[in-house]
Structure formats: structure tokens, C-alpha cells
Amino acid sequence: MDVTSVLEATLSPDGAVRQNAEQQLSQAAQHNFSAYLTALAQELANEQAQSHIRTAAGIALKNTFSAREYARLREFQEKWLQQVEPHVRNMLKELSLRALQSSDSKAGSSAAQFIASIAAIELPRDLWPQLMTTLVQNVSSGSTNLKQASLTAIGFICESSDQDLRDSLTQHSNAILTAVVQGARKEEENQDVRHAAISALGDSLEFVRTNFDNEGERNYIMQVICEATQSDDNRVQEGAFGCLNRIMSLYYDKMRFYMEKALFGLTIMGMKSEEEDVAKLAVEFWSTVCEEEITIEEENSQAQIDGTEMRVYHNFCKVATPEVVPVLLELLTRQDEDAADDDYNVSRAAYQCLQLYAQVITQVIVPIVLSFVELNLRDPDWHKRDASVSAFGAIMEGPDQKVLEPLVRQALPVIISMMDDKVMTVKDSVAYALGRICENVPSAIDPNQHLPPLISALFTGLSTNPKIAASCCWALMNLAERFAGPPGCQENALSRHFQDSVTHLLQVTERNDSDNQLRTAAYEVMSCFITNSAMDCLPIIATLLEVIIQRLAKTIPMQAQIVSIEDRITLEEMQTSLTNVLCCIVTRLDKEIQPQADRIMTLLLQLLQSVGNKSSVPDVVFAAISAIASATEEEFEKYMPSFVPMLSSALGNQEEPALCSMAIGLVSDIARSLGLKTQPYCDMFMNYLLENLRSPALANQFKPAILQCFGDIAQAIGGHFEAYLSVVGQVLQQAATVTLGPDGSYEQLDYVLSLREGIMDAWGGIIIAMKTDNKTQLLTNYVEFIFQLLNIVWQDQNRSEGLLRSAMGVIGDLADAFPNGEYSQFYRADWITHMIKETRSNHEFQQRTIDTARWAREQVKRQIGGNSGVLQA
């Protein structure tokens, strides 16, 4: 293989040429991995090679050790350790370090990426102990290019998400800090080096906690960073403010001295910078301060309840309010009328910070913002009008509602009238502010005075311009949710507006000039209005059902008219929106839907047959079918022969995890609806569920739902579940062995809690099933295991409400299944009593959780009483 030619081809604008070159590289790697790496590394280190060829070699090397999936990444790393001889690995490392010295900065950067890839493998295994020392020496005494490339390598190493590498970096903290601080000092004349150093410092802050605990070292680090905020190079300034953000989130408790001496002034100056990226990062510093203080307040509130140690709280935001908030308000006026929805500029950064500030200092922010609003709300300059209405919306969360209510009542007529503003950006901000009011201070909206003009203004805005459709829809949905009234109410505040609202939404969605975004948003509002409607709106919803069925039916023949990807996307979005509205109607009408059920199911099945692979439509169709099953209950059986082939296909489609997940949930819904009539389909259901449970292709998040599904099937078919009890019991016992490691992440904790809840739900369903058909003797071999699991749940401080509710259910169900005290010895354990008492007395839990715990307590009393009849009497 001619390496130079192949690398040249990987950069070709011709896709076919590029793909062929990538295949050649892949084949070379498979044929002889060592030779492949050597050829690329030699090209990267070759000073005679062209710059773009060296860069391509570096990219190929980096990609060799890159993968999004953890298992695939480990596979690549094992190849380095097992297929590349130690002397070859040493040679490759020498070549990469030599390439760092290149006068070609792009080659140096590529070499830095390759070094970081090797470091992720070798540093945790202590196979390259001299690397960090070498990089520090490069920064101390190397050429300018070598300094920059070495600092870049340190940055790449420190920013890695590989946990093994991150754990190993702590022992190198002194070396890392020496290099990055030396390069970041104001004495460093080369700004490229200083920029690389300050970037690497930001990435390394998590690993230098020991150094940061030392006051002398901390003072020097902070001095270097503060000086960097005053650099003439914007990149260095940005990196410095980025470091301050990271430091505030990691070391808040140590920041009081530096805030008083420097950071207040430096960050406010930074916020006023004409350089937008610098100003944004300075604003984000205060957003970080707000987030930290919000978190500390929440943690300290819990600590008071638990009687544990409270965190230090410096009140930085409140102290800085007179200086920071006015600057934020001024920055709100720096909008760009042409900015795209996803553009993040200094005005949007200021808005986010103002929202957070209001949550921290609550009422204190109100008079400052009100003065700004009163001064600018009617200003001829649209920037100031927009800033004032945005500021008013931003403080709707945080201050006490009693403080906000009179202000909102007074301001609402003016703000609603601003929906007629000539500037579209202002209209969008007004709609969003109205949404914030509806979400956070709905009590200030008078149903008679404010609601009619508010709804009218938002619907007018919705149909005016797609740009503001999202904000108008969000406001309308908040409005619908806040004025829904209690469940089952005969009428609510929106009842008198319901017919006109539905008519308006149907008109908007039918318009030829409506773009996809506007149509989708309007259908979302329609779904929300249906979900939150009162009983007196059901006749209107029944009439609407006919329109939605007709519209959805018309989309099916459109599949044959698709000629482009855009056509397919448009059609699928329309079908998804219509099916979602249909699902909401079925759910809202409930049993009243039965006369139309045959027609709806026929349409949904036709829709499933018409859509192609990789479509998102089946997900929402399954949700609609679930609603039909819940509404029709046992009558749903007549649809099973036609639907089961599609359901089984989805259950076995592990390449489409979202669809497979929906299918698993649908099996539970069908089982609950059909009851004993589920039995003919159980072999098929159980085979797919067990296969999915064992499959490495599906993520762990599927397992709790599958276990819950076992419980639903068991409860549906009663004693017939005996056929599956042995296998499922073994699965549940195995699942119970999954625990959270000492360094477990929040994701892992959530998974363990969900898994345990799934196990409890499964046993709850199985116990009820066996009791229903007098087969409780089949549970004998599992009782001790169930109590062991309950004890694990009790001893683990990480317990969710859902898990405890399920545990209470199992405790009560098992006692109810053996009413003669057969297992009273388990129920006499003190921890069972304490567990029930703690759940029953937790005032933060929902009533149904508390009721379940009370019921469990009564069942335990009966169990302990046994045959004596004392407690029964």
C-alpha cells in the first residue's frame, strides 16, 4: 500500500475515492496492525511530507483508537496491547513525541491527539510513566512549537472521558500543573503557547484538587488565571474565563477571598467586553455561581432534615446583585434580529443568567428589573422593548408568587398588546414571556379579564409567522395545563374557548402555506387542549375525532407519492402529529371510543403496514394502540390476530431500540387489558422478552421494563404463569445481584433503582397470580430470596419512592398470600417494621405510596398474629 497516495485520497472531495481509500486503510489495519500503525506514524513524523498528508496520517491514527461505544473502544485498546510488540509500541511513541517538535503546527496537533489516544491505554496500566515528565520538560525548555503541541497533548489527555485514564491522572497532578501554569503565565510571550496552556489548565482542574487545597499553590494558580483575563489575546481571555467557570463549580467553598479581591471586578469587566465570546463566558461565570448556590441551598435544606453537615454558603449572588444584574439587563439589549433559533449569543447568555439569578435572590431582583421594564417597555428602540419584556418573563420563577401576582395582573394587558409589535423578535419574546407567566404565575391570570385576549393574541401569533410558532404553542400548552381544573371536572376556565381553539388549530394545520414546524406545533397544542379538557368538551372532541381520522387516512396513499427525503420527513411528521392527536382523543374519551374502535384499529394497522423501515411513525402508533387496548379491555382480543405479527416483529427488532421499547410496554398494556385472554400469546411474548433480556444489543434501560412486564403477564393469566415461574424466578434472582459500585455514576444508580423496582413489580404480579389460583405453594422456594432482596433495599440508603412503594406491595401481597403465619419469622424482623414505618411517615411521598405502606402494615399484623386469631379479632 502506498501510504501517501491512500492518505491523499482520504481527503478527496469525491466520495467514492474517499470511501475506497478508507477501505484500504481498514484492510491494512486488519491485515497487519503493527505495520499499519508504523506506516502512519512514520508519515506523521516525516518532516519532508506535505502538511495535509501528515494531518491525514494523524487523523487515521486517532480514529484507530476512537469509538463511541465503550466495548468497541476497549476492543481497539486490547489490539494495541496484544497485537503490537513492546518494541514496536516504544518506537511508535518515540515517533509521536518526535512529531510534537515539528515546525508544522498541524502535524504537532495531530501528534498530540495520537499521544492522548496511547495515554488512555498506557497511563492507567503504568506503561508510559515518563510521558508526563517528558511533556513538562518540553514546556519548560522546548521550542515554541514543541511547547504548544505538548500543552495541547496535556489538554487532550485531561479532557478524556475515559474513567480509567481520569483516575490515573491524579498521581500526575504536580507534573500537569507545573506545565500548564508555566505556559499560561503572563511572562509567556507567545500567545499561541499561552492559549494552549490556559485551555489545558481548564481541562486539568479536576485532577489538581490536592494542589488546590494548598493555599500557596491555589493563590498562584488564581493569580495566573486572573492575569490571563486581562490578556490582549481574546483566545486567552476566553480560556481564562472558562477556567474561572470550572473553578467555581469545583471549588466554590474556597472562592470567597478571590471573589472579594478580584473576581467581582474582573468578571463584570469581562461582561462589558466588546468581544462577544469573552462577554458570554464572563456571563456564564455568574450563571455557574447561581447554579452552585441553588444546589447548595437545596442540599443544605436536606441536610437540615437529615441532621448532617451543611455546605458553606457565601451568598455571592446577593452581594453582587447591584453590580451584576444591571449589566445583565443591559446585555439583553444586544440582540441580533437575524440570529437563528439555536444561535447562542451574549443576549441569550444574559437571559439565562437572569433566570438563574431570580431563583437565587428571589424578591431582591424584582425592583431592579421592574425599574428597567418601566423605563424600556414602550421605547422606540425595539432592542429595549424586547429586553424589557424578556427581563420580566425571566423573573417569573424564584420570587414569591404573592409578590409577583399584583405585578403580573397590572402588566398583562400591556404585554398582551405587545403581541401586535411590528418587530417579529419582540413578538417572539412576548409570547415566551406569556408562556413563563402561564407556567409560573397562573393565579395572576383572571379567567374573565385576561384569558380571552390572551388566547386570541397567542392564536393570532401562532398563525402569523412560523418563527414565533414555538413560543406561542408553548404558552398555549402552559395555559391549558394550568387551567385544566381537577380531574373529571364538568367544566373549566378553557371550556368556553375550546371550540374556537380547536377550529383555529384545524385551520392552521390545513393551510397550504403552513411549514412543518408550524403544523407540528399546532398539533401539539391540540393534543394538550384535548388532554386537559373538561367533561363538557367531550362532544366537541368526539366530532374532532372524525376530522382526525379522515386526515390520517389521506396520508396513507401519499407513501406512493414520495420522491425525496424531504417528502418522507414531511409525511412522517404529519402522520406522527395526527396519530398523537388521535391517541389523546382515545385516552380522553376512554370507554366512549368503543363504537369507533374497529375503524381506528383498521386505520392504525394500515398505517403500520405502509411505513418503511427506520420510520418514527410506529412508535406513536403503538402508543395509540395502547390507548385503544386500555379503553376496550377484553374486547381488544378481536384485534390480536391481525396485530400480533406486527407486535412480534417489533419485539424482535433490536436494531430499533425505541420501537422495541414501545412494544415491551405495549405487551404490559395488552396483558392488563385482556387478562386471562392473554394466555394464547404468552409463549410468544415470554420468548421475545427473555431473548431481549439476554441480548447485549439492547441497553440496560430495557431490563426494568421487561421485568415489570413479567409481573403484568403473571397477574393477567394467574396460575397459568406456573409454566414460566422457574425461568423467571432464576432471572429475578440473577437481576437482584446487580449493585452500585463505589464510584457508580448517577446513571448507574438510576439503573439499579429501576431494576430493583422492576424485580419488585415482577414478584408482586407473580404473588398475586399464584394466590388467585391457589398455587402459593409454588412460591415456597423464593420467599427467603424475596426477603433478602427487601433487606438489601432497606440497607441501601439509595431508595426511590417508586421502589419503596413496590416493596410495600410485595410485603403486603406475600403476607396476604400466606395468611396463616407460615413466614411470620421473616415478618417479625425489626427492619421490616422500620421500613414500613419510614415509608408510611414520609410526608414527601404520594398518598398512594403511604396508603400502600399502611395496607402492608395491616397485612404484617395479620401475618404475625398467625393462627392465634388475636389480631384478626
Side-chain angles (χ1 to χ4, degrees), residues 498-619:
F498 192 82
Q499 179 66 72
D500 290 342
S501 299
V502 168
T503 302
H504 199 116
L505 290 167
L506 288 174
Q507 290 171 351
V508 169
T509 52
E510 192 69 356
R511 273 170 32 187
N512 292 329
D513 62 339
S514 293
D515 70 348
N516 292 352
Q517 182 182 0
L518 174 56
R519 186 185 299 109
T520 300
Y523 277 128
E524 286 179 8
V525 175
M526 190 181 295
S527 296
C528 190
F529 267 60
I530 292 166
T531 300
N532 294 286
S533 61
M535 297 298 290
D536 61 349
C537 296
L538 295 188
I540 302 172
I541 295 173
T543 304
L544 175 63
L545 173 62
E546 182 63 31
V547 179
I548 299 302
I549 288 175
Q550 289 177 6
R551 287 190 180 185
L552 186 56
K554 288 179 182 178
T555 67
I556 295 176
M558 292 181 185
Q559 291 283 353
Q561 302 169 19
I562 292 175
V563 295
S564 66
I565 295 176
E566 289 75 15
D567 288 346
R568 182 173 299 280
I569 292 172
T570 299
L571 179 59
E572 288 195 358
E573 286 181 351
M574 190 184 303
Q575 290 177 330
T576 299
S577 295
L578 286 165
T579 308
N580 189 52
V581 174
L582 180 60
C583 180
C584 293
I585 292 174
V586 172
T587 302
R588 188 68 189 86
L589 294 179
D590 197 28
K591 302 293 184 290
E592 301 297 320
I593 202 70
Q594 291 193 15
Q596 295 279 8
D598 289 357
R599 187 179 174 200
I600 295 171
M601 274 301 295
T602 300
L603 177 60
L604 292 174
L605 294 176
Q606 288 175 351
L607 187 56
L608 278 177
Q609 290 172 334
S610 69
V611 296
N613 294 330
K614 308 294 183 183
S615 170
S616 60
V617 176
D619 293 5

Side-chain angles (χ1 to χ4, degrees), residues 408-429:
V408 171
R409 285 197 193 98
Q410 184 180 353
L412 259 178
V414 178
I415 295 177
I416 292 171
S417 69
M418 290 180 70
M419 283 296 293
D420 294 327
D421 199 284
K422 295 179 180 179
V423 179
M424 197 57 61
T425 303
V426 177
K427 284 186 177 182
D428 191 32
S429 297

Side-chain angles (χ1 to χ4, degrees), residues 463-483:
S463 57
T464 299
N465 193 303
K467 184 177 180 181
I468 67 172
S471 296
C472 290
C473 288
W474 182 65
L476 285 165
M477 287 190 286
N478 283 336
L479 203 62
E481 290 169 1
R482 295 303 180 270
F483 285 93

Side-chain angles (χ1 to χ4, degrees), residues 212-338:
F212 228 83
D213 287 340
N214 182 295
E215 185 179 357
E217 292 187 56
R218 183 170 71 246
N219 287 342
Y220 186 56
I221 296 169
M222 293 301 295
Q223 177 187 335
V224 169
I225 295 172
C226 289
E227 289 171 349
T229 65
Q230 304 304 296
S231 169
D232 293 332
D233 190 301
N234 291 331
R235 298 172 304 162
V236 176
Q237 281 192 56
E238 292 167 26
F241 281 115
C243 283
L244 291 178
N245 290 350
R246 190 79 179 115
I247 287 170
M248 182 55 72
S249 67
L250 290 169
Y251 307 110
Y252 171 92
D253 59 312
K254 296 180 172 62
M255 286 296 104
R256 182 169 184 172
F257 173 78
Y258 308 104
M259 289 291 274
E260 292 174 350
K261 296 296 182 183
L263 299 186
F264 276 122
L266 289 175
T267 53
I268 289 169
M269 284 175 57
M271 289 162 67
K272 295 177 179 179
S273 172
E274 291 300 317
E275 184 60 38
E276 176 141 324
D277 288 337
V278 173
K280 277 193 299 187
L281 284 161
V283 170
E284 287 172 10
F285 171 82
W286 283 102
S287 291
T288 302
V289 176
C290 291
E291 289 168 345
E292 279 302 302
E293 296 199 337
I294 290 169
T295 300
I296 291 171
E297 283 194 292
E298 291 173 351
E299 291 179 358
N300 284 350
S301 296
Q302 187 61 45
Q304 278 186 314
I305 297 170
D306 299 340
T308 55
E309 185 178 356
M310 296 172 67
R311 288 183 60 186
V312 174
Y313 186 76
H314 293 305
N315 242 330
F316 290 142
C317 289
K318 193 170 185 178
V319 172
T321 296
E323 288 78 26
V324 174
V325 173
V327 178
L328 292 174
L329 293 170
E330 187 61 32
L331 291 175
L332 288 177
T333 66
R334 287 170 56 174
Q335 313 94 320
D336 180 0
E337 189 175 13
D338 299 322

Side-chain angles (χ1 to χ4, degrees), residues 22-51:
E22 290 168 355
Q23 288 177 347
Q24 288 187 63
L25 288 176
S26 178
Q27 290 169 359
Q30 292 175 6
H31 178 68
N32 190 325
F33 192 54
S34 290
Y36 167 75
L37 294 177
T38 302
L40 291 177
Q42 288 173 340
E43 200 68 19
L44 175 62
N46 183 3
E47 286 294 308
Q48 278 67 52
Q50 293 179 288
S51 177

Side-chain angles (χ1 to χ4, degrees), residues 44-183:
L44 175 62
N46 183 3
E47 286 294 308
Q48 278 67 52
Q50 293 179 288
S51 177
H52 67 282
I53 297 297
R54 300 179 73 183
T55 301
I59 292 171
L61 285 166
K62 177 185 75 72
N63 289 344
T64 302
F65 298 100
S66 301
R68 292 181 180 177
E69 298 83 11
Y70 180 81
R72 192 107 172 109
L73 178 64
R74 283 289 179 260
E75 179 186 328
F76 292 152
Q77 293 180 345
E78 287 302 317
K79 286 180 69 175
W80 168 266
L81 295 169
Q82 296 176 8
Q83 296 185 23
V84 183
E85 294 294 329
H87 73 278
V88 178
R89 294 206 300 267
N90 289 333
M91 178 193 67
L92 293 170
K93 289 185 283 190
E94 286 299 321
L95 287 170
S96 66
L97 290 170
R98 188 197 311 166
L100 283 180
Q101 307 174 37
S102 175
S103 57
D104 180 351
S105 61
K106 291 183 179 179
S109 180
S110 296
Q113 288 182 306
F114 182 40
I115 287 170
S117 297
I118 301 174
I121 307 171
E122 299 211 340
L123 284 184
R125 297 169 174 83
D126 203 25
L127 296 176
W128 201 358
Q130 70 275 21
L131 171 62
M132 301 311 295
T133 303
T134 301
L135 294 175
V136 173
Q137 290 174 347
N138 290 347
V139 175
S140 175
S141 57
S143 65
T144 296
N145 283 344
L146 181 57
K147 284 183 180 180
Q148 182 182 351
S150 297
L151 287 164
T152 301
I154 292 172
F156 284 144
I157 292 169
C158 291
E159 75 176 9
S160 171
S161 58
D162 188 297
Q163 193 57 50
D164 292 338
L165 175 58
R166 296 174 76 84
D167 291 342
S168 71
L169 288 176
T170 306
Q171 63 182 302
H172 300 288
S173 62
N174 287 329
I176 292 170
L177 201 56
T178 299
V180 297
V181 172
Q182 183 171 343

Side-chain angles (χ1 to χ4, degrees), residues 730-799:
Q730 186 178 357
V731 166
L732 295 177
Q733 288 176 312
Q734 185 177 356
T737 63
V738 177
T739 57
L740 184 68
D743 300 320
S745 63
Y746 285 116
E747 291 77 10
Q748 181 69 10
L749 171 61
D750 185 59
Y751 167 63
V752 171
L753 292 178
S754 298
L755 189 69
R756 288 176 180 172
E757 186 176 342
I759 297 169
M760 290 296 178
D761 288 341
W763 279 121
I766 292 169
I767 293 167
I768 292 171
M770 297 301 113
K771 179 180 182 296
T772 301
D773 287 349
N774 298 316
K775 293 185 176 182
T776 52
Q777 74 279 1
L778 297 175
L779 298 171
T780 304
N781 294 333
Y782 304 104
V783 171
E784 186 173 355
F785 157 72
I786 293 172
F787 276 96
Q788 288 173 355
L789 177 58
L790 286 167
N791 187 248
I792 290 171
V793 171
W794 166 245
Q795 291 181 343
D796 193 334
Q797 293 302 306
N798 298 306
R799 303 190 293 262

